[in-house]
């Protein structure tokens, strides 16, 4: 008894991590609101009966659960409408449980049965996701696995989300991803209780959605010349190079995707990015440009089209904007938005608004005339005029308008929602102005950024490690929480050519963001999260979903000593790792020197090789860091 009391006391008085060690075999992401481990385990019986409402909304929930419980185990699973003695019961609450809301659930696992209760089918779906995470990782296998004890620990869980908007953005414009790819992306996001897929459907590199009556958008605008290398540095495509790279979704494809997402309780937010990022539209219909000669433009492959050296807004080298002074542009947008509104049932349409260059507008006589007529003082106000007209179009179709945070600058209607990407500050500002806000800041949520050292990661201009993503709090204390709808991570795909790499970029940072938008703030704990991340790496290995192991890689920091020697500090992002290194070009392992304090490199060393271990097991990738690279970093001002 004394032992139990002292354990409870310890649990109450020490870090969450101690309590979690008692639940060491439980690794749920995102962390539930409350989880109590009870005694015993539930074992899957020889044949499984699931009681579940047999409704249209529950069809995918039960199909999915049946598949997960039968494929790896070989167990026969049936679903019945009423089976009070069923081993697994999914029950809709009558009356409603006010605590768990629209998406929450209660999950009870005992040695006798598993019962999930929720107010909605979505809540049951999320309860099922949690339940599956209680079973051994082999449950993720696509083929039967023998000799596994198919048990789940007894628990009582009450769970519901912190935010209603839990999103991932997938840029299908820079590289086209097929309908089947997008479905796979949805399959993986719902494991972690994401409920919103933001599809970035248009950009300079491609227009990806069929619009009836505007055939060139997809005949011309969906195709470019394939280039491989570093995006942004490609040579300009020659006129005779074949424009065969790309693709688009027909309206039937879109309907199929919307339905697929809906069956998994995911809304799709469509984005048509205007007035900037519109080269694919301009190439399709050059009359939408302010600039004579736009008919000579090509859909971009990744050649330089923007000069960022003077900051934002950028200086365009080709005019990739729609012309705010051209009535044809508003007719075009009306046509596009009308069809987008019909295809996507979600209440919002995202109309972009980011990074629009103004230098071509400055040279345009029609813009000068517009400015005089509308009393617009500068180009920011010209963009504001465009945005307000666009918002009216969106609202006229019965939809709400959302855009990137630049739309705040030109004076936007109070009804517009703001997606804050340039850090948190524009989201905070917008919330103070009483706009609805979705936080997706570069600082925490840009999952196109490198997640480890640039010496090993595919190169992109910025980095974002897992532990930083995990610090994401969409609703900081400085704002009134009622304006914050939630948060999302953004996967831009300039450097993402295929689905395996899209997965690599999304996970594990997608877990950090999932926990940031679902779990109570006070439940977040990096060390505890990381323990669970490792378990989910194992689950993804079984499921054959790719993830980045970058969190195991060492972090290099360099400086010069007073006498100009190179001083190298090594650290590990993942807790509890040992770092082994060598300067002699051979491959380090745990027989090599272990890093304990900053290193002074031998004068003529050419390479520092480093690897991390967890106990006796190598976990990080071997990193070969040229000394010249370290010198460059140390001497960078
Ligand atoms: C953005 O990243 N340009 C929204």
């Amino acid at each position: 008894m004394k032992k139990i009391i002292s354990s409870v006391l310890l649990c109450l008085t020490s870090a969450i991590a101690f309590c979690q060690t008692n639940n060491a075999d439980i690794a749920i992401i995102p962390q539930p609101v409350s989880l109590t481990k009870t005694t015993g385990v539930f074992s899957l019986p020889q044949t499984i009966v699931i009681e579940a409402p047999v409704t249209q909304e529950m069809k995918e929930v039960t199909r999915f659960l049946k598949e997960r419980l039968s494929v790896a185990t070989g167990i026969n699973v049936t679903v019945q409408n009423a089976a009070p003695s069923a081993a697994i019961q999914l029950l809709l609450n009558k009356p409603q449980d006010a605590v768990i809301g629209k998406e929450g659930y209660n999950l009870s696992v005992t040695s006798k049965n598993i019962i999930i209760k929720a107010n909605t089918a979505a809540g049951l779906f999320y309860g099922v996701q949690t339940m599956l995470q209680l079973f051994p990782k082999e449950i993720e296998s696509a083929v039967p696995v023998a000799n596994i004890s198919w048990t789940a620990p007894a628990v009582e869980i009450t769970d519901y989300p912190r935010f209603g908007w839990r999103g991932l953005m997938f840029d299908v414009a820079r590289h086209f991803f097929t309908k089947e790819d997008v479905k796979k992306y949805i399959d993986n996001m719902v494991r972690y209780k994401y409920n919103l897929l933001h599809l970035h459907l248009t950009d300079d590199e491609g227009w990806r959605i069929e619009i009836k009556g505007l055939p060139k958008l997809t005949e011309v605008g969906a195709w470019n010349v394939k280039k491989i290398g570093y995006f942004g540095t490609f040579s300009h495509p020659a006129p005779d190079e074949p424009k065969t790279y790309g693709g688009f979704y027909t309206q039937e494809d879109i309907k199929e995707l919307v339905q697929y997402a809906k069956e998994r309780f995911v809304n799709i937010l469509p984005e048509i990015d205007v007035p900037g990022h519109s080269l694919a539209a301009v190439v399709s219909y050059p009359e939408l440009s302010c600039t004579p000669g736009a008919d000579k433009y090509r859909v971009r492959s990744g050649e330089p089209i923007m000069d960022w050296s003077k900051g934002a807004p950028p200086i365009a080298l080709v005019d990739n904007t729609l012309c705010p002074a051209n009535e044809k542009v508003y007719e075009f947008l009306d046509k596009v938005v009308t069809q987008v509104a019909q295809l996507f049932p979600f209440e919002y349409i995202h109309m972009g608004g980011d990074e629009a260059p103004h230098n071509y507008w400055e040279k345009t006589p029609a813009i000068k005339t517009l400015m005089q007529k509308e009393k617009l003082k500068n180009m920011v106000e010209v963009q504001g005029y465009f945005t307000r007209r666009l918002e009216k179009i969106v609202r006229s179709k019965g939809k709400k308008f959302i855009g990137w945070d630049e739309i705040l600058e030109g004076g936007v209607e109070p009804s517009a929602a703001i997606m804050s990407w340039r850090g948190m500050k524009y989201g905070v500002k917008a919330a103070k102005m009483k706009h609805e806000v979705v936080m997706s800041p570069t600082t925490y949520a840009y999952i196109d950024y490198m997640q480890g050292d640039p010496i090993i990661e595919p190169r992109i201009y910025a980095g974002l490690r897992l532990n930083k993503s995990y610090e994401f709090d969409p609703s900081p204390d400085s704002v009134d929480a009622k304006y914050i709808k939630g948060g999302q991570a953004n996967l831009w795909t300039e450097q993402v050519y295929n689905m395996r790499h899209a997965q690599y970029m999304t996970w594990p940072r997608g877990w950090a963001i999932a926990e940031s938008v679902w779990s109570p703030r006070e439940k977040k704990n990096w060390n505890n999260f990381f323990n669970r991340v490792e378990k989910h790496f194992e689950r993804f290995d079984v499921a054959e979903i790719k993830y980045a192991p970058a969190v195991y890689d060492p972090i290099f920091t360099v400086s010069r000593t007073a006498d100009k020697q190179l001083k190298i500090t090594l650290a590990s992002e993942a807790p509890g790792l040992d770092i082994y290194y060598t300067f002699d070009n051979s491959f380090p392992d745990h027989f090599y020197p272990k890093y304990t304090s900053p290193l002074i490199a031998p004068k003529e060393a050419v390479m520092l090789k480093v690897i991390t271990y967890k106990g006796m097991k190598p976990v990080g990738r071997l990193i070969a860091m040229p000394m010249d690279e370290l010198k460059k970093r140390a001497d960078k001002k």
Side-chain angles (χ1 to χ4, degrees):
M1 185 63 186
K2 203 167 146 199
K3 215 168 139 194
I4 294 172
I5 290 172
S6 62
S7 161
V8 168
L9 273 179
L10 245 176
C11 215
L12 288 173
T13 55
S14 67
I16 296 168
F18 173 81
C19 303
Q20 301 286 346
T21 56
N22 290 336
N23 296 338
D25 51 342
I26 298 176
I28 295 164
I29 296 177
Q31 184 76 285
V33 171
S34 95
L35 182 156
T36 309
K37 194 171 176 197
T38 55
T39 51
V41 293
F42 171 85
S43 297
L44 286 179
Q46 297 295 314
T47 61
I48 302 171
V49 177
I50 300 171
E51 177 183 345
V54 179
T55 62
Q56 193 56 33
E57 259 205 306
M58 285 297 292
K59 217 167 156 178
E60 173 53 28
V61 182
T62 47
R63 188 211 61 78
F64 167 75
L65 178 57
K66 211 170 142 176
E67 180 182 298
R68 276 283 129 263
L69 290 178
S70 60
V71 172
T73 65
I75 295 173
N76 184 275
V77 182
T78 55
V79 180
Q80 294 176 18
N81 201 6
S85 59
I88 298 176
Q89 299 173 29
L90 311 186
L91 307 174
L92 283 173
N93 288 323
K94 263 191 244 140
Q96 302 272 294
D97 176 342
V99 173
I100 59 174
K102 281 205 305 267
E103 296 181 293
Y105 61 92
N106 288 296
L107 167 63
S108 167
V109 179
T110 65
S111 53
K112 192 167 138 258
N113 58 20
I114 295 180
I115 298 176
I116 304 174
K117 290 183 183 169
N119 296 329
T120 63
L124 292 177
F125 186 55
Y126 296 136
V128 162
Q129 298 298 343
T130 298
M131 181 194 89
L132 289 172
Q133 292 186 19
L134 294 170
F135 281 98
K137 61 180 185 292
E138 289 79 8
I139 202 105
E140 303 288 351
S141 174
V143 292
V145 190
N147 302 321
I148 301 291
S149 169
W150 297 110
T151 60
V155 287
E156 296 296 327
I157 292 176
T158 296
D159 200 13
Y160 46 87
R162 182 173 171 207
F163 295 102
W165 185 301
R166 303 182 303 279
L168 284 176
M169 190 215 74
F170 194 13
D171 170 7
V172 293
R174 266 50 180 273
H175 288 279
F176 179 62
F177 290 84
T178 65
K179 182 175 65 178
E180 295 311 317
D181 289 337
V182 175
K183 287 181 182 175
K184 214 176 267 172
Y185 205 71
I186 293 171
D187 288 344
N188 292 340
M189 62 190 269
V190 298
R191 290 165 172 265
Y192 298 99
K193 306 182 176 83
Y194 281 105
N195 66 355
L196 184 124
L197 176 66
H198 169 171
L199 282 182
H200 182 74
L201 288 165
T202 70
D203 214 301
D204 300 319
E205 296 77 12
W207 182 283
R208 306 298 180 203
I209 175 171
E210 177 193 16
I211 301 295
K212 309 261 192 214
L214 295 167
K216 287 194 195 155
L217 286 174
T218 42
E219 285 168 13
V220 175
W223 307 97
N224 65 10
V225 175
K226 184 171 184 179
K227 303 255 178 182
I228 293 179
Y230 286 132
F231 185 93
T233 67
F234 294 149
S235 57
H236 286 262
D240 57 349
E241 277 186 276
K243 298 178 200 66
T244 52
Y245 185 61
F248 64 93
Y249 310 112
T250 64
Q251 296 207 345
E252 288 310 305
D253 290 337
I254 295 284
K255 286 178 199 162
E256 192 179 319
L257 280 177
V258 164
Q259 181 61 23
Y260 190 89
K262 180 175 173 224
E263 286 166 0
R264 289 151 185 83
F265 309 98
V266 169
N267 283 308
I268 299 185
L269 169 71
E271 181 188 353
I272 306 295
D273 196 354
V274 291
H277 288 277
S278 293
L279 191 57
V282 166
V283 173
S284 307
Y285 294 100
E287 63 270 28
L288 301 177
S289 173
C290 288
T291 299
D295 55 328
K296 307 280 182 317
Y297 289 161
R298 289 186 199 91
V299 179
R300 187 184 183 215
S301 294
E303 61 277 18
I305 62 165
M306 219 54 81
D307 174 4
W308 282 98
S309 62
K310 310 249 168 3
I315 310 293
L317 310 175
V318 302
D319 185 3
N320 69 339
T321 64
L322 302 186
C323 187
N326 182 350
E327 283 308 306
K328 278 192 191 145
V329 163
Y330 301 100
E331 287 162 26
F332 167 83
L333 288 169
D334 193 286
K335 238 183 219 171
V336 170
V337 172
T338 301
Q339 294 180 42
V340 168
Q342 281 162 359
L343 287 166
F344 293 92
F346 191 45
E347 59 185 323
Y348 292 85
I349 298 180
H350 197 305
M351 297 302 303
D354 59 318
E355 299 180 318
H358 296 153
N359 52 305
Y360 281 93
W361 295 355
E362 281 160 4
K363 293 190 281 203
T364 302
I367 296 271
K368 278 206 182 78
T369 311
L370 176 76
M371 290 171 80
Q372 282 156 5
K373 181 164 163 251
E374 299 293 332
K375 302 195 175 26
L376 307 170
K377 290 198 284 295
N378 52 40
M379 292 305 141
V380 170
E381 291 192 4
V382 170
Q383 189 169 339
Y385 165 85
F386 172 88
T387 305
R388 285 189 299 277
R389 281 196 66 176
L390 186 53
E391 202 217 350
K392 243 186 231 142
I393 293 174
V394 169
R395 271 196 286 138
S396 74
K397 314 300 170 200
K399 297 289 182 178
K400 294 186 185 169
F401 178 97
I402 185 165
W404 299 112
D405 57 51
E406 284 96 328
I407 65 171
L408 276 177
E409 288 162 10
V412 72
E413 296 295 328
S415 53
I418 306 297
M419 192 169 270
S420 184
W421 73 277
R422 295 175 297 171
M424 301 282 289
K425 65 173 184 285
Y426 293 101
V428 170
K429 182 175 167 195
K432 288 189 172 152
M433 293 162 72
K434 301 188 185 336
H435 288 280
E436 289 185 327
V437 170
V438 174
M439 292 289 195
S440 62
T442 52
T443 23
Y444 305 103
Y446 263 41
I447 56 174
D448 58 324
Y449 286 6
M450 294 177 292
Q451 45 206 319
D453 196 286
I455 205 73
I456 188 165
E457 291 299 323
R459 198 178 83 181
I460 189 160
Y461 58 90
L464 174 66
R465 286 184 178 270
L466 177 63
N467 64 352
K468 185 72 181 174
S469 276
Y470 192 65
E471 288 174 17
F472 182 37
D473 181 352
S475 186
D477 288 335
S478 57
V479 296
D480 183 341
K482 81 171 184 233
Y483 295 109
I484 308 294
K485 295 188 70 62
Q488 65 177 48
N490 296 337
L491 180 60
W492 301 102
T493 60
E494 286 97 328
Q495 305 281 17
V496 180
Y497 284 77
N498 59 63
M499 269 314 273
R500 291 298 283 175
H501 195 52
Q503 291 174 355
Y504 176 97
M505 297 306 286
T506 305
W507 315 109
R509 288 176 297 186
W511 299 335
I513 303 300
E515 190 144 308
S516 303
V517 292
W518 178 281
S519 306
R521 189 201 283 186
E522 61 279 8
K523 282 269 164 177
K524 288 178 74 184
N525 173 293
W526 164 250
N527 283 350
N528 179 273
F529 172 69
F530 186 73
N531 288 337
R532 286 178 284 126
V533 163
E534 290 194 294
K535 295 264 173 58
H536 283 251
F537 281 161
E538 292 174 11
R539 299 185 85 85
F540 268 28
D541 285 338
V542 178
E544 300 193 300
I545 303 167
K546 197 162 184 170
Y547 57 84
V551 63
Y552 289 122
D553 296 339
I555 299 171
F556 296 80
T557 316
V558 273
S559 59
R560 292 280 186 187
T561 60
D563 58 349
K564 297 282 178 238
Q565 294 189 85
L566 203 58
K567 183 174 156 193
I568 306 158
T569 304
L570 301 176
S572 78
E573 183 184 2
L577 302 189
D578 294 322
I579 305 174
Y580 297 92
Y581 67 93
T582 171
F583 284 106
D584 65 11
N585 308 321
S586 63
F587 301 100
D589 58 26
H590 61 300
F591 291 87
Y592 275 70
K594 183 156 124 180
Y595 177 84
T596 52
S597 58
L599 308 171
I600 301 296
K603 217 168 166 189
E604 297 188 36
V606 289
M607 190 72 80
L608 168 61
K609 287 188 180 159
V610 181
I611 191 159
T612 59
Y613 271 64
K614 186 159 191 171
M616 297 296 278
K617 197 174 139 222
V619 284
R621 297 169 289 193
L622 189 136
I623 296 189
M625 178 66 82
M627 296 307 296
D628 282 349
E629 169 67 19
L630 290 180
K631 285 175 194 159
K632 221 165 40 187
R633 292 184 190 185
D635 297 337
K636 202 169 152 191
K637 292 284 172 289

